[in-house]
Amino acid sequence: MKNRKITFLLLLVASCSLIAQGEKDLPAYKDAKRSVEERVSDLMSRMTLEEKVMQLNQYTLGRNDNANNMADPVNDIPPAIGSLIYFSSNGDLRNRVQKRAMEETRLGIPIIFGYDVIHGYRTTYPISLAQACSWNPQLVEQACAVAAQEARMSGVDWTFSPMIDVARDARWGRVAEGYGEDPYANAVFAAASVKGYQGTDLASGKNVAACLKHYIGYGASEAGRDYVYTEISGQTLWDTYMLPYEEGVKAGAATLMSSFNDISGTPGSANHYTLTEVLKERWGHDGFVVSDWGSIEQLRPQGVAKDKKEAALKAFTAGVEMDMMNRSYDNHLGELVKEGKVSEALLNDAVKRVLRVKFRLGLFDNPYTPQTTEKERFLFPQSLKIAEQLAEESIVLLKNENNTLPLKNVSKMAVVGPMAKSQWHLLGSWRAQGNADDAVSLFAGLENEFKGKAQLSFAAGCDFDGDDKSGFDEAKKIAAQSDVVILCLGEKAQWSGENASRSTIALPQIQEDLVEELKALGKPVILLLSSGRPLELNRLDKISDAMLQVWQPGIAGGNPIAGIVAGRINPSGKLSMTFPYSTGQIPIYYNHRQSARPHQGKYQDIPSTPLYDFAHGLSYTTYTYGDLKPSTLTIKKGDKLSIEIPVTNVGGIDGLETVHWFVFDPVSTISRPVKELKHFEKQMIKKGETKVFKFDIDPLKDLGFINADGKRFLESGDYYIIVKDKKVKVTLVD
Ligand code: NOJ
């Protein structure tokens, strides 16, 4: 007995010392208790040049059917690769490749898997342009958190989102992906989505790293054509494009993507000023920049590099740390270091940035995606509720002649148009793993809403385009037998998004003809318009009674849209992008600078004002705005100022109202826009109730201006604070 006790004790001591020994031998980078920086430095000290270079490349994994991003099939992924774009919808394939990275490489560095999760992963939300019309950043944050949870549980660590390119040319298909024409709005939604994706702990297993894109100025693509030149002065760069990125970085975005566009002679992916001087040195960003797909090798056709090697040199020394599908860093970076053209210090800095993000994501400690069923990760009731709410708040009532909407006393309803029964097109572009079968079509939504209350009939009438009018007669027949005609029109999903520019933003003639012929029957005509961009609606505006811009509302849009038609829901969306009178007015945006001759310079042939202004959106109730009440009329630099405005709901139903606060500086060293959005707030106002909205002004930020190098100035003088048609002058004294 005594002997057994002694043997047991000896064994215990031996195993304890073995554990201690193991812990002592555990390389610091594998020790989860150490800080990220300690782990990064330790790992760096062990890496060879080749291992470092491999961390800076991204290939693809899995099937990809995006025609703009076709790559060589990657059958034989090098396990030492830094990153992969992951096209699969569960963690299996990832885990198999990750196992090779962990077990077949010398140091066992996990791969980071990225993917375009733009407006939802499986639970597809409205497109971002629509989301911005909700003016509800908290809701957008929640939607991004759901997208992150679904993606991370499916093997994705990193989303290439948010897209925060301010865009003012609706011919550019990518307007669908951003938050509209205003810098401040893009900045607010950038921060909200970064917070939603990343949460408070990137390693939680339910969050993903965000990627601000496309840094920078891509939205200025000339004539709305994709991938082309952008003319952006230093002043415009800072005035218009930088703010969303600055705020996204402040919100903690782990990564950024460098853009395709040539910025006044220096492409976004070879731009030392934006990528290094501003982003890393001024803003102190310590994550990494990934190139856009092929944007390094594209420095060659853009005319700033003679071959891929020079392109790699330019992009890397400018500050692009990871090469997405160029095969330029894996092929040339090592050589460039050996030749002394790229310093080891720069290489080390780049690798550290990538490793830092991997450690923060917890990839070293939990490299694999736990196995779950689709039910365990997708389409939770709460996720669908957010999708429905976001769609509801994104929809904009553009026009409502004689209060045609909501429908009253309707017993027969003709639902017509190519969009009516489509599920596919409601999801828009970049649908990630979205499934059209999950979507509630406009027709299905109306059926759900009016069940037992009205009889619905359907005719497509025509296709989205072409000239086949053979379906018109059937549409006219059902319309003639109905009390109201609901026309479901718009754009196919593939008409917006990447590489989807259009020369006109009008709907194809056949859709306009359909409306015209149905209108001739004398019934009220309501248009439900689904598109990935603002539309040219001046002709349809004249012949319709009501128009509801439903955008591409995602899988849960059908019911809230019908709810608005029926009056169950009071619409509250307001435009995040101007609707021009016609395509010829483009570029047209609310925050343009002042004209030398404001009363001249108009078009001779069309109006010079837009059809629907930025922030336009009707409600079923009426709000009256009281006077603006500033806390003081005179302030000194450094003082704070706040302004309030009471808003009363004098109509018959409760409603959500967004108040937009604009600032105008009439005289400044650098001319300022006619007005600039500086704050917005949305509140529920019950019928008969008054709510007070408040804007706390930080003079330097809200009244000052920025120069061509990003320096902020505040000058004494008069400023106007504007809400709708109310304005108040405040004076800043030295
Ligand atoms: C190219 C697009 O410009 C970018 O937005 C996207 O994230 C990448 N391809 C990866 O798919």
Side-chain angles (χ1 to χ4, degrees):
M1 184 68 182
K2 202 174 163 203
N3 275 351
R4 260 206 262 158
K5 254 191 188 162
I6 292 172
T7 323
F8 175 75
L9 276 175
L10 282 174
L11 275 173
L12 194 70
V13 170
S15 57
C16 285
S17 77
L18 264 179
I19 292 170
Q21 184 70 24
E23 264 176 12
K24 215 170 80 214
D25 289 350
L26 189 71
Y29 77 93
K30 289 197 173 169
D31 181 355
K33 289 195 224 77
R34 291 178 190 261
S35 73
V36 166
E37 288 312 305
E38 261 182 288
R39 296 176 82 181
V40 169
S41 311
D42 176 65
L43 180 53
M44 288 296 298
S45 71
R46 298 166 192 266
M47 291 172 79
T48 63
L49 174 64
E50 287 68 30
E51 284 164 342
K52 288 178 184 170
V53 167
M54 279 313 283
Q55 281 304 306
L56 306 179
N57 294 276
Q58 182 177 64
Y59 300 171
T60 64
L61 178 63
R63 191 182 62 88
N64 176 23
D65 49 14
N66 178 341
N68 304 311
N69 288 352
M70 291 309 278
D72 301 331
V74 184
N75 299 322
D76 198 12
I77 308 280
I81 191 84
S83 177
L84 292 169
I85 303 185
Y86 191 53
F87 296 113
S88 189
S89 63
N90 63 55
D92 296 352
L93 184 57
R94 166 213 169 95
N95 288 346
R96 270 188 276 138
V97 177
Q98 189 74 301
K99 191 165 186 317
R100 290 182 52 216
M102 300 308 291
E103 294 176 8
E104 292 173 28
T105 64
R106 205 173 61 85
L107 296 164
I109 304 178
I111 297 166
I112 177 173
F113 294 82
Y115 189 50
D116 288 287
V117 184
I118 309 299
H119 52 112
Y121 184 76
R122 172 69 184 268
T123 304
T124 313
Y125 293 102
I127 54 168
S128 306
L129 182 63
Q131 292 183 22
C133 297
S134 75
W135 300 99
N136 190 340
Q138 292 80 12
L139 195 55
V140 169
E141 183 177 331
Q142 288 174 30
C144 290
V146 171
Q149 166 260 309
E150 291 189 345
R152 190 76 193 255
M153 290 180 76
S154 307
V156 175
D157 310 307
W158 173 29
T159 174
F160 306 132
S161 175
M163 193 281 220
I164 47 174
D165 295 320
V166 171
R168 287 149 176 200
D169 189 332
R171 292 170 297 181
W172 192 51
R174 306 203 78 169
V175 298
E177 299 173 49
Y179 299 101
E181 73 187 33
D182 181 67
Y184 176 74
N186 273 278
V188 171
F189 287 107
S193 52
V194 167
K195 285 186 203 145
Y197 288 133
Q198 298 195 165
T200 47
D201 177 12
L202 275 177
S204 72
K206 300 216 167 134
N207 292 102
V208 293
C211 181
L212 308 175
K213 73 183 190 186
H214 307 83
Y215 191 60
I216 188 169
Y218 186 24
S221 285
E222 278 190 342
R225 288 190 47 215
D226 217 348
Y227 313 119
V228 300
Y229 180 72
T230 56
E231 180 52 57
I232 308 175
S233 67
Q235 186 60 42
T236 301
L237 185 71
W238 282 97
D239 258 340
T240 307
Y241 297 104
M242 282 296 203
L243 186 67
Y245 289 91
E246 190 172 0
E247 292 303 313
V249 167
K250 272 195 209 147
T255 72
L256 288 89
M257 184 183 292
S258 68
S259 58
F260 289 125
N261 55 300
D262 179 343
I263 308 167
S264 299
T266 309
S269 293
N271 204 308
H272 189 267
Y273 176 70
T274 55
L275 292 164
T276 296
E277 288 164 55
V278 175
L279 177 66
K280 303 185 216 301
E281 292 168 6
R282 248 186 248 183
W283 295 345
H285 186 250
D286 69 355
F288 68 92
V289 176
V290 64
S291 76
D292 201 344
W293 185 297
S295 71
I296 299 178
E297 63 175 337
Q298 287 158 22
L299 296 176
R300 214 172 29 80
Q302 281 177 317
V304 295
K306 65 175 184 301
D307 53 26
K308 233 188 202 185
K309 185 172 171 186
E310 193 177 14
L313 175 66
K314 288 220 164 172
F316 191 74
T317 51
V320 177
E321 282 88 24
M322 187 178 280
D323 167 329
M324 178 193 286
M325 290 306 293
N326 298 274
R327 304 292 172 92
S328 70
Y329 286 1
D330 50 359
N331 282 319
H332 301 293
L333 199 54
E335 206 176 303
L336 286 165
V337 173
K338 283 182 195 148
E339 288 166 5
K341 292 189 178 133
V342 165
S343 71
E344 274 193 52
L346 193 63
L347 178 75
N348 288 342
D349 180 66
V351 179
K352 272 189 189 169
R353 288 170 178 275
V354 171
L355 294 176
R356 204 172 274 143
V357 173
K358 290 187 176 185
F359 277 113
R360 286 179 184 156
L361 280 161
L363 291 176
F364 282 82
D365 314 312
N366 294 300
Y368 304 110
T369 302
Q371 243 190 0
T372 49
T373 61
E374 291 206 351
K375 219 173 146 219
E376 285 168 321
R377 56 184 194 275
F378 296 151
L379 305 168
F380 298 157
Q382 178 58 17
S383 311
L384 290 168
K385 227 172 119 197
I386 295 170
E388 205 165 307
Q389 183 73 24
L390 195 47
E392 171 180 329
E393 296 193 27
S394 305
I395 297 160
V396 182
L397 179 61
L398 295 173
K399 167 184 174 154
N400 196 16
E401 200 80 1
N402 302 320
N403 295 325
T404 307
L405 286 177
L407 292 180
K408 298 154 234 69
N409 311 321
V410 167
S411 61
K412 283 189 173 175
M413 209 185 265
V415 183
V416 177
M419 191 60 83
K421 289 203 169 173
S422 172
Q423 293 168 290
W424 177 262
H425 296 298
L426 298 182
L427 267 54
S429 67
W430 294 113
R431 51 189 59 198
Q433 301 294 341
N435 183 344
D437 292 342
D438 298 334
V440 183
S441 71
L442 302 180
F443 186 81
L446 290 165
E447 258 187 336
N448 297 339
E449 190 73 35
F450 287 95
K451 203 178 293 159
K453 294 180 206 141
Q455 201 186 323
L456 267 68
S457 51
F458 164 76
C462 63
D463 203 346
F464 287 88
D465 53 3
D467 49 19
D468 182 0
K469 294 191 176 175
S470 59
F472 274 31
D473 283 347
E474 174 64 13
K476 283 196 264 186
K477 198 174 114 199
I478 65 160
Q481 295 161 354
S482 303
D483 308 318
V484 64
V485 187
I486 302 194
L487 270 142
C488 305
L489 306 175
E491 295 189 317
K492 290 183 173 180
Q494 63 270 28
W495 290 1
S496 57
E498 186 181 351
N499 197 16
S501 305
R502 293 182 80 77
S503 71
T504 171
I505 60 167
L507 288 179
Q509 190 62 47
I510 191 153
Q511 295 195 41
E512 294 203 0
D513 290 350
L514 181 64
V515 182
E516 204 166 325
E517 293 203 19
L518 291 175
K519 177 65 190 171
L521 301 173
K523 311 275 165 137
V525 164
I526 293 158
L527 307 188
L528 305 186
L529 301 162
S530 170
S531 62
R533 56 162 60 76
L535 297 168
E536 173 180 316
L537 295 174
N538 71 69
R539 289 169 301 282
L540 292 177
D541 182 65
K542 289 187 193 95
I543 55 172
S544 61
D545 297 280
M547 295 201 286
L548 207 53
Q549 178 67 31
V550 306
W551 304 108
Q552 287 153 338
I555 57 169
N559 289 331
I561 292 164
I564 291 178
V565 172
R568 175 173 57 83
I569 295 167
N570 185 5
S572 63
K574 297 193 181 203
L575 294 178
S576 55
M577 196 167 175
T578 300
F579 273 45
Y581 178 86
S582 73
T583 307
Q585 289 183 328
I586 294 173
I588 185 165
Y589 46 94
Y590 85 91
N591 45 353
H592 56 85
R593 284 184 151 79
Q594 304 172 74
S595 157
R597 294 188 181 186
H599 304 296
Q600 285 185 291
K602 313 277 186 208
Y603 291 114
Q604 292 185 336
D605 53 338
I606 56 165
S608 295
T609 48
L611 187 64
Y612 293 117
D613 286 318
F614 176 80
H616 168 76
L618 305 173
S619 162
Y620 293 156
T621 190
T622 306
Y623 304 102
T624 54
Y625 282 60
D627 288 330
L628 288 159
K629 290 187 199 114
S631 55
T632 167
L633 288 176
T634 310
I635 50 165
K636 288 205 182 98
K637 286 183 189 170
D639 284 359
K640 297 275 184 223
L641 158 74
S642 66
I643 307 198
E644 292 183 346
I645 189 163
V647 181
T648 306
N649 181 346
V650 295
I653 54 168
D654 302 346
L656 281 165
E657 176 68 337
T658 302
V659 170
H660 294 90
W661 296 84
F662 299 93
V663 165
F664 173 48
D665 177 359
V667 183
S668 170
T669 303
I670 295 175
S671 69
R672 304 303 307 148
V674 291
K675 56 182 194 173
E676 291 176 272
L677 184 69
K678 293 292 178 180
H679 180 58
F680 60 85
E681 189 191 350
K682 187 174 192 173
Q683 293 196 48
M684 164 58 71
I685 314 181
K686 298 230 151 57
K687 61 177 173 181
E689 194 184 23
T690 298
K691 283 269 172 80
V692 175
F693 290 72
K694 189 175 176 204
F695 177 20
D696 288 316
I697 295 177
D698 171 346
L700 182 62
K701 189 167 128 277
D702 299 319
L703 306 179
F705 65 87
I706 206 158
N707 77 356
D709 187 31
K711 231 177 135 216
R712 285 199 169 276
F713 295 87
L714 181 61
E715 295 178 341
S716 49
D718 296 337
Y719 294 87
Y720 289 90
I721 315 299
I722 305 163
V723 171
K724 286 205 176 232
D725 57 349
K726 310 269 173 187
K727 68 177 173 186
V728 66
K729 185 172 84 179
V730 292
T731 306
L732 190 98
V733 292
D734 281 326

